[in-house]
């Protein structure tokens, strides 16, 4: 009981390689985390029925449904924990796909224990901090309602649309600075810098995801427009409560 109380959090490691699961389990346990492991998506969801992890380390190459599909399923539920995708593929397209599906971060094998722990701590810190930062609880724009603390959007029909941690931070930056062009560097400053977006162009991927969730035409966006030579601009006026 004392060990659980002192745990830094529960991490669910999903990987079909026994050696990797054991290695990550030992590393995270030494650092004070409680660790659960699963070999595939079926075991992952079975474990999640029994307890709620604080973070999921999700390998891409899995038997059955791969990590991309599992990430998509996880992100369809606003109550799901943050996800760090883990893969041996050092390919920018794979990184972008993972981020577009809602992953909070992406790490490529082989990686050092120090790098993994740093990314894990950053994602957990963001997930545990109130998204509003003590400011506003609700933002309204053009019939939409945005609840940062709940990481949730309600569309004009009051249908709830879940957001990832990174999507919430980015949308919060936009609605707090409506109708003002924001560069990528400025968006990094307004969110949590490279802790939120590990490489510059990942902001573009998150903007694309936000546009889709807002029903914004990718070819001719009306809500989050591209400010050529600058970055992006959230065009609608916003009411904050």
């Amino acid at each position: 009981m004392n060990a659980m109380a002192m745990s830094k959090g529960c991490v669910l490691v999903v990987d079909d390689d026994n050696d990797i699961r054991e290695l990550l389990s030992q590393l995270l346990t030494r650092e004070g985390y409680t660790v659960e492991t699963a070999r595939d998506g079926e075991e992952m969801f079975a474990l999640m029925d029994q307890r709620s992890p604080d973070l999921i380390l999700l390998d891409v190459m899995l038997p059955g449904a791969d990590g991309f599909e599992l990430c998509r399923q996880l992100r369809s539920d606003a109550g799901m924990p943050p996800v760090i995708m883990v893969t041996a593929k050092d390919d920018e397209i794979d990184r972008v796909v993972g981020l577009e599906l809602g992953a909070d971060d992406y790490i490529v094998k082989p990686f050092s224990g120090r790098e993994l722990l740093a990314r894990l701590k950053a994602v957990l810190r963001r997930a545990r901090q109130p998204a509003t930062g003590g400011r506003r609880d609700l933002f309204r724009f053009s019939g939409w309602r945005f609840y940062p603390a709940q990481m949730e959007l309600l569309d004009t029909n009051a249908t709830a649309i879940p957001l990832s941690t990174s999507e919430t931070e980015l949308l919060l930056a936009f609605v707090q600075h409506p109708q003002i062009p924001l560069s990528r560097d400025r968006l990094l400053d307004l969110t949590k810098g490279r802790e939120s977006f590990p490489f510059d162009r990942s902001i573009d991927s998150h903007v694309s995801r936000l546009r889709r969730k807002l029903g914004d035409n990718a070819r001719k966006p009306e809500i989050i427009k591209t400010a050529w030579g600058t970055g992006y601009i959230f065009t609608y006026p916003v009411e904050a409560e």
Side-chain angles (χ1 to χ4, degrees):
M1 190 68 170
N2 289 337
M4 290 294 293
M6 296 179 63
S7 171
K8 293 180 179 179
C10 178
V11 179
L12 174 53
V13 177
V14 186
D15 198 301
D16 63 331
D17 188 306
N18 294 336
D19 292 336
I20 290 178
R21 288 201 311 276
E22 181 63 23
L23 181 65
L24 292 177
S25 182
Q26 291 177 3
L27 170 66
L28 295 171
T29 299
R30 284 199 305 269
E31 290 297 316
Y33 295 95
T34 302
V35 182
E36 299 284 353
T37 63
R39 291 174 295 181
D40 54 26
E42 185 176 351
E43 285 192 2
M44 178 185 76
F45 285 116
L47 280 166
M48 293 177 69
D49 284 340
Q50 301 172 25
R51 67 172 306 176
S52 300
D54 297 293
L55 182 142
I56 299 175
L57 283 176
L58 180 60
D59 190 46
V60 169
M61 301 302 292
L62 293 171
D66 65 16
F68 293 134
E69 171 59 21
L70 294 175
C71 182
R72 185 192 65 77
Q73 293 179 32
L74 288 165
R75 288 279 73 89
S76 67
D77 185 340
M80 289 295 102
V83 174
I84 297 179
M85 303 290 290
V86 182
T87 182
K89 292 185 176 180
D90 187 11
D91 189 319
E92 183 174 355
I93 293 176
D94 289 317
R95 295 199 298 270
V96 170
V97 168
L99 292 168
E100 287 183 342
L101 288 171
D104 294 272
D105 203 349
Y106 201 104
I107 189 166
V108 178
K109 301 174 186 176
F111 49 81
S112 68
R114 179 178 297 180
E115 180 186 6
L116 174 63
L117 291 169
R119 289 178 179 271
L120 187 147
K121 290 175 183 176
V123 171
L124 281 174
R125 183 164 57 247
R126 296 200 312 269
R128 289 167 175 168
Q129 288 176 344
T132 58
R135 291 183 283 272
R136 302 290 185 172
D137 296 323
L138 168 62
F139 295 85
R140 299 177 186 270
F141 54 91
S142 189
W144 289 81
R145 286 174 286 167
F146 171 42
Y147 297 89
Q150 287 75 39
M151 303 201 317
E152 188 174 75
L153 270 171
L154 264 63
D155 66 15
T156 54
N157 296 316
T159 300
I161 300 172
L163 300 172
S164 70
T165 304
S166 298
E167 290 167 346
T168 299
E169 291 180 1
L170 187 58
L171 182 55
L172 184 59
F174 280 127
V175 298
Q176 289 178 330
H177 301 81
Q179 302 175 308
I180 299 173
L182 299 173
S183 67
R184 292 181 181 86
D185 285 340
R186 179 61 174 147
L187 287 168
L188 285 170
D189 292 339
L190 290 171
T191 54
K192 291 181 175 60
R194 300 189 185 279
E195 290 183 359
S196 295
F197 306 100
F199 46 96
D200 291 347
R201 289 294 172 175
S202 64
I203 285 184
D204 298 338
S205 297
H206 284 80
V207 167
S208 294
R209 283 162 47 194
L210 278 178
R211 282 172 171 167
R212 284 198 297 272
K213 292 190 174 183
L214 289 165
D216 212 6
N217 188 313
R219 299 192 175 205
K220 194 174 181 182
E222 294 296 328
I223 303 176
I224 304 176
K225 289 188 175 182
T226 300
W228 298 110
T230 303
Y232 297 99
I233 180 170
F234 191 89
T235 62
Y236 287 172
V238 178
E239 296 180 5
E241 298 180 11

